[in-house]
Amino acid sequence: MFQQLYLSVLLACLLVPSIAFPSYGHESKGANVKFPKPQKYTGPMKIPDRHHPYRAPGPNDKRGPCPALNTLANHGYLPRNGIASAGDLITASTEAFNLGYNFSMAVASLAVLGRGNVLLDKVSIGGEHREVPPLPGKIDGTPGGLSKHGKFEGDISMTRLDAFHGDPAVFQPEMYKDLLAHVDKYGDGDIVTPEVFQEYRWKIHNERMADNPVLNWHTGRLGFSYGEAGFILQLFRSSKTGNVTRQDLDKFFVEERFPENWYRKETPFEFSDIILAVNLVEDAHLVHPGKKDKNGTYVLETKEMNPWFETACAVYYDLLVPNIAAVLMKTRGQTRKNVDAYLGGMFNLFEPAGCPFMYPEGPAEV
Ligand code: HEM
Ligand SMILES: *[C@@H]1O[C@H](CO)[C@@H](O)[C@H](O)[C@H]1NC(C)=O
Ligand SMILES: *[C@@H]1O[C@H](CO)[C@@H](O)[C@H](O)[C@H]1NC(C)=O
Ligand SMILES: *[C@@H]1O[C@H](CO)[C@@H](O)[C@H](O)[C@H]1NC(C)=O
């Protein structure tokens, strides 16, 4: 009798706090984030190898706004159901595309911090999935997956609609046709040149400026959207031929499948390469980061909005500080350990540029 009372009091003591404070840090339910080691061989290589055959996705497999991640999942470089850990994203993108190690670690970390579950170390490359539930107590809303607008997915994409106009994760054949028309006009025969993206990006830039009253084209988004054009020129290119062709574009964008006899890049694609790639695509027509206000007027970004404006740390600040939920810093145990690992993964990329370590201060549940 006394023993039973004692037991129930003890149980109550143990249970009550875990009801009041959802067990963010429950070791048994979490994953301990550990980034994979960098690949040893970083030269060119035929992709896919025989262990990664193409298989079309099934009805329950998630696919989203990134043609490269969709391709990686269709070949099993990422789990075919489209649910990946940060380590999966790093291993797959460095192995199959020769994405730089530091670079892959930073984007993978941002993906899980912004659109995944940091305790379970999982993110959907498409929409919501039961393997990526909200954190206990829904402290940061539902993860959304990479298909969800904001935080990572953003405006003025090349083959996807702005969220204002429709589902921003779905490939749009009409937009792609327009891109190919630019290959006809500005390319070198079937070879896709930088001019193709200089002109195509400029065209869609002006179109979205005109037709999206809630356009949000902040510094990080400018970097990503021009960077992604650079990815196409540099990473969809076969190092065997040295060029990316319109046939290659068809493979990656329409089939989401590696071209036949395709070789990954000769050397890893690092942060310095992305800066060169962004500058090259932006070279022909200068564009400015900003956001439409309530009246639909495009307001340019200033130093007041981003203290690191026009420095190498501007993108780091923009993608992390106002973007990722501050509440993640209030977690404990395994959750907080993982958050720190991802923050370290982002810092790693920007540390060589002299940036200070930054912390998330953004709103939750967006
Ligand atoms: C490893 C982590 C990666 C993550 C988390 C990631 C995530 C994303 C996301 C969320 C988008 C949508 C952005 C938007 O346009 O709104 C996107 C677009 C894109 N990504 Fe990735 N990506 C990764 C790696 C890569 C790689 C390695 C390549 C190229 C080989 C690539 C090529 C592209 C391209 C070309 C687009 C633009 C599609 C368009 O504008 O229509 N990505 N990515
Ligand atoms: C790639 O295309 C350029 C023209 O844009 C051409 O000069 C070069 O020879 C091509 N490279 C190869 C390896 O075919
Ligand atoms: C929007 O327009 C109204 C009327 O012209 C003006 O009073 C208001 O300050 C504007 N708001 C913004 C955010 O510019
Ligand atoms: C990767 O990051 C580490 C730590 O910031 C840095 O020392 C190293 O030089 C970076 N590597 C490249 C290739 O940028």
Side-chain angles (χ1 to χ4, degrees), residues 64-69 72 89-90 93-94 97 99 103-105 107-108 110-112 123 125 146-147 149 152-161 168 171 175 201 204 221 224-225 227-229 231-232 234-236 252-253 262:
C66 179
L69 297 184
L72 291 171
L89 292 169
I90 294 166
S93 59
T94 55
F97 284 111
L99 190 64
F103 196 20
S104 74
M105 194 191 291
V107 234
L110 177 69
V112 184
V123 63
I125 67 169
L146 292 178
S147 291
H149 179 64
F152 206 135
E153 195 294 315
D155 289 337
I156 326 191
S157 302
M158 294 172 279
T159 65
R160 267 69 174 171
L161 297 175
F171 174 72
M175 295 178 77
R201 282 231 56 107
I204 60 176
R221 187 56 203 143
F224 268 141
S225 42
E228 284 152 9
F231 274 4
I232 298 171
Q234 287 297 322
L235 297 185
F236 285 173
F252 285 115
F253 279 100
W262 186 88

Side-chain angles (χ1 to χ4, degrees), residues 215-260:
L215 184 74
N216 187 355
W217 213 59
H218 50 97
T219 293
R221 187 56 203 143
L222 188 163
F224 268 141
S225 42
Y226 277 71
E228 284 152 9
F231 274 4
I232 298 171
L233 289 165
Q234 287 297 322
L235 297 185
F236 285 173
R237 176 174 76 82
S238 172
S239 62
K240 185 105 173 169
T241 63
N243 284 305
V244 57
T245 63
R246 91 190 267 136
Q247 290 74 23
D248 296 329
L249 291 188
D250 280 345
K251 280 291 185 174
F252 285 115
F253 279 100
V254 182
E255 292 185 56
E256 300 189 323
R257 178 176 186 166
F258 283 103
E260 301 291 319

Side-chain angles (χ1 to χ4, degrees), residues 293-295 297:
D293 68 12
K294 288 202 169 59
N295 293 341
T297 307

Side-chain angles (χ1 to χ4, degrees), residues 39-78:
Q39 50 181 355
K40 287 205 183 77
Y41 173 71
T42 56
M45 180 162 64
K46 191 169 184 216
I47 300 291
D49 62 19
R50 64 197 171 82
H51 304 296
H52 295 93
Y54 171 84
R55 267 211 318 270
N60 299 319
D61 295 335
K62 296 294 177 185
R63 298 293 182 267
C66 179
L69 297 184
N70 294 346
T71 300
L72 291 171
N74 288 344
H75 282 270
Y77 281 100
L78 285 175

